[in-house]
């Protein structure tokens, strides 16, 4: 062995084990979320007190379990995941039973060869199980990240979903690339082509595979491990520096600001959006959402911030809280603009109180201009 070979071996070993660690975590995330959907469906169909919760089941469940990453919309997605892939249960009980809690196995693995599946009638399960290639679904389960699954479960047509599963197994695309393939109707275009094989090969050649680092950036990965997400979102260095300094700047202003979250993600339907900074103001008794854009102000920026405020009103705001407030900071690196999206209110006194307690617009503009000169 020489020095070059020594360095190569260490690098190769590190990369191999890193990939396996990420793969193991993704399998556990997928398993946790599928089982969560399984448990919810079982309760909805057979729970002794299910009538007490009705349409509020997921909201109540989310508040009760208090697990990071399992909000009511996410629980709904877990349920959708179970319905899209019921055959995973047979796979779990055959190949991954050592990863499961013992009581789960006692409840499910059962009297007639694991065919009586909770939440899914026996005949339906047998039919679905006969149609699926066990080895193929095993490869999908072990190779596809849950983030990819969140795109696959939106596809209702099983054949179409199988097509994109195949693309994932063969090319390992990023989630962004997978969405692009779905949005550009790759399945339909290949189906309409004269030579399916050549068309498929042409598609696969154009797909850039994801790297291990892409997987690590998944918010599911961060939430499952309960670690910080400071570098989760790919931003420009300028924006990252501004957010980092702005957090300290706002906190130093005092006036009751309590830092709560950075890059807080919100789930709207099937898409995630991120609020740069979230504070809670103990005097105003409301959340303050700050969104920063390193470009000139656009109409959609204000609309997006107002969507965040409406989300907080509906899902986060407590009974005794006042409506949330949004602050939009926009810069095109030549000038700064600050826009307050003060929550709608018929009581002028609240609006006046907000304006009195929040940072002065001129101070925020001065901060941005100062920071831009230093970066």
């Amino acid at each position: 062995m020489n020095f070059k070979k020594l360095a190569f071996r260490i690098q190769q070993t590190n990369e191999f084990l890193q990939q396996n660690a990420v793969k193991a975590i993704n399998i556990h995330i997928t398993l946790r979320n599928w089982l969560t959907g399984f448990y919810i469906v079982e309760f909805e169909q057979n729970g002794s007190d299910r009538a007490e919760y009705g349409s509020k089941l997921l909201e109540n469940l989310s508040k009760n379990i208090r697990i990071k990453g399992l909000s009511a919309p996410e629980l709904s997605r877990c349920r959708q995941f179970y319905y899209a892939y019921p055959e995973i249960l047979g796979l779990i009980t055959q190949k991954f039973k050592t990863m499961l809690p013992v009581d789960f196995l006692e409840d499910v693995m059962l009297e007639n060869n694991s065919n009586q599946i909770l939440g899914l009638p026996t005949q339906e399960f047998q039919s679905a199980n006969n149609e699926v290639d066990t080895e193929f679904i095993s490869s999908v389960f072990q190779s596809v990240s849950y983030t990819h699954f969140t795109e696959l479960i939106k596809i209702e047509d099983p054949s179409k979903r199988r097509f994109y599963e195949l693309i994932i197994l063969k090319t390992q695309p990023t989630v962004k690339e997978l969405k692009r393939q779905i949005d550009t109707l790759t399945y339909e275009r290949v189906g309409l082509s004269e030579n399916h094989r050549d068309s498929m090969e042409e598609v696969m050649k154009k797909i850039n595979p994801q790297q291990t680092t892409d997987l690590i950036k998944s918010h599911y990965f961060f939430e499952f491990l309960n670690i910080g997400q400071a570098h989760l979102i790919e931003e420009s260095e300028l924006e990252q520096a501004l957010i980092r300094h702005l957090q300290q700047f706002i906190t130093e202003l005092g006036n009751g600001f309590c830092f709560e979250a950075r890059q807080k993600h919100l789930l709207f339907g099937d898409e995630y959006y991120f609020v740069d900074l979230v504070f809670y103001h103990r005097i105003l008794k409301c959340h303050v959402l700050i969104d920063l854009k390193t470009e000139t102000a656009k109409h959609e920026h204000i609309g997006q911030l107002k969507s965040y405020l409406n989300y907080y009103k509906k899902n986060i705001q407590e009974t005794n809280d006042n409506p949330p407030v949004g602050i939009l900071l926009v810069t095109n690196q030549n000038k700064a603009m600050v826009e307050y999206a003060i929550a709608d209110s018929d009581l002028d006194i609240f609006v006046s109180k907000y304006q009195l307690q929040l940072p002065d617009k001129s101070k925020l503009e001065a901060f941005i201009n100062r920071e831009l000169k230093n970066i």
Side-chain angles (χ1 to χ4, degrees):
M1 180 188 292
N2 55 29
F3 180 83
K4 187 175 180 181
K5 191 169 184 180
L6 169 65
F8 174 74
R9 279 189 177 178
I10 293 174
Q11 289 173 327
Q12 188 180 44
T13 301
N14 177 73
E15 184 179 348
F16 175 79
L17 294 177
Q18 184 184 56
Q19 289 175 346
N20 276 277
V22 172
K23 181 179 177 181
I25 292 170
N26 274 305
I27 288 176
H28 281 78
I29 293 171
T30 302
L31 180 58
R32 189 277 305 265
N33 291 343
W34 189 91
L35 288 173
T36 297
F38 174 92
Y39 297 143
I40 290 171
V41 171
E42 156 63 5
F43 178 83
E44 288 177 327
Q45 296 186 1
N46 302 314
S48 58
D49 55 347
R50 63 187 185 277
E52 294 179 27
Y53 297 94
S55 61
K56 296 292 183 181
L57 170 63
L58 300 185
E59 287 82 354
N60 287 320
L61 184 58
S62 176
K63 290 178 182 178
N64 187 269
I65 61 177
R66 295 183 179 278
I67 296 175
K68 191 174 182 181
L70 288 182
S71 61
E74 237 0 295
L75 290 172
S76 177
R77 179 174 276 177
C78 290
R79 179 172 56 191
Q80 185 183 1
F81 182 33
Y82 165 73
Y83 276 127
Y85 288 91
E87 65 272 19
I88 284 179
L89 184 55
L91 178 68
I92 291 173
T93 53
Q94 290 174 38
K95 294 197 171 188
F96 299 105
K97 53 188 177 184
T98 57
M99 297 166 62
L100 300 174
V102 176
D103 350 348
F104 172 81
L105 293 173
E106 290 176 350
D107 287 343
V108 178
M109 285 192 62
L110 68 100
E111 294 179 7
N112 79 39
N113 299 323
S114 296
N115 284 335
Q116 286 228 278
I117 303 304
L118 298 176
L120 188 67
T122 304
Q123 288 185 344
E124 288 184 36
F125 177 75
Q126 289 175 328
S127 174
N129 207 30
N130 289 336
E131 292 173 9
V132 70
D133 180 336
T134 305
E135 288 307 313
F136 181 82
I137 199 63
S138 176
S139 298
V140 171
F141 183 82
Q142 295 181 75
S143 305
V144 177
S145 73
Y146 182 68
T147 315
H148 287 84
F149 271 120
T150 61
E151 296 303 318
L152 292 172
I153 62 178
K154 300 174 190 175
I155 303 172
E156 295 183 5
D157 182 351
S159 298
K160 184 174 180 178
R161 192 187 309 132
R162 178 55 56 87
F163 173 83
Y164 289 108
E165 289 169 353
L166 190 60
I167 281 187
I168 294 172
L169 290 178
K170 287 182 173 293
T171 65
Q172 296 296 310
T174 62
V175 176
K176 184 177 180 180
E177 176 63 26
L178 174 62
K179 290 175 70 174
R180 192 184 75 79
Q181 293 296 330
I182 296 172
D183 291 343
T184 56
L185 305 177
T186 300
Y187 171 75
E188 288 78 4
R189 289 187 290 110
V190 169
L192 291 171
S193 65
E194 292 183 3
N195 190 316
H196 295 168
R197 184 183 296 277
D198 289 349
S199 298
M200 185 69 164
E201 288 180 359
E202 187 177 340
V203 167
M204 291 191 292
K205 286 178 183 176
K206 295 179 180 178
I207 296 177
N208 294 319
Q210 67 182 351
Q211 305 300 317
T212 303
T213 50
D214 296 323
L215 289 171
I216 294 175
K217 289 173 186 172
S218 163
H219 60 266
Y220 292 106
F221 187 103
F222 281 84
E223 287 187 328
F224 187 68
L225 297 179
N226 198 27
I227 56 179
Q229 302 184 45
H231 303 290
L232 172 58
I233 306 305
E234 292 185 21
E235 305 276 9
S236 66
E237 291 183 10
L238 168 63
E239 187 166 345
Q240 278 296 321
L242 282 171
I243 292 172
R244 188 165 54 250
H245 293 172
L246 178 61
Q247 177 182 329
Q248 182 179 358
F249 174 72
I250 294 292
T251 305
E252 288 177 352
L253 284 176
N255 296 334
F257 282 97
C258 302
F259 175 68
E260 190 168 294
R262 180 176 171 182
Q263 294 180 338
K264 171 75 173 177
H265 73 267
L266 309 177
L267 181 60
F268 289 86
D270 294 320
E271 300 292 333
Y272 271 103
Y273 295 86
F274 293 79
V275 187
D276 289 323
L277 290 169
V278 178
F279 294 87
Y280 186 82
H281 202 291
R282 59 182 178 78
I283 298 174
L284 296 175
K285 296 192 182 307
C286 71
H287 284 93
V288 179
L289 280 56
I290 299 179
D291 215 26
L292 185 144
K293 305 292 182 183
T294 51
E295 58 182 329
T296 305
K298 295 180 181 178
H299 177 73
E300 56 262 32
H301 294 157
I302 297 173
Q304 187 178 63
L305 182 54
K306 288 187 174 179
S307 296
Y308 297 161
L309 294 176
N310 287 329
Y311 180 95
Y312 260 73
K313 283 184 189 178
K314 181 179 179 181
N315 299 294
I316 309 295
Q317 180 178 322
E318 298 289 345
T319 308
N320 296 327
D321 285 345
N322 287 317
V325 179
I327 301 176
L328 177 66
L329 304 180
V330 184
T331 173
N332 60 5
Q333 299 191 38
N334 293 317
K335 60 183 178 179
M337 189 277 280
V338 179
E339 178 68 31
Y340 283 78
I342 295 177
D344 297 332
S345 174
D346 295 330
L347 303 175
D348 292 336
I349 188 171
F350 280 149
V351 176
S352 299
K353 191 174 182 181
Y354 282 153
Q355 292 173 334
L356 180 66
Q357 294 290 339
L358 293 177
D360 184 78
K361 290 184 180 182
S362 61
K363 287 185 179 180
L364 288 172
E365 289 178 347
F367 161 78
I368 293 179
N369 288 323
R370 183 173 66 252
E371 290 297 322
L372 288 174
K373 290 178 183 177
N374 295 330
I375 295 176

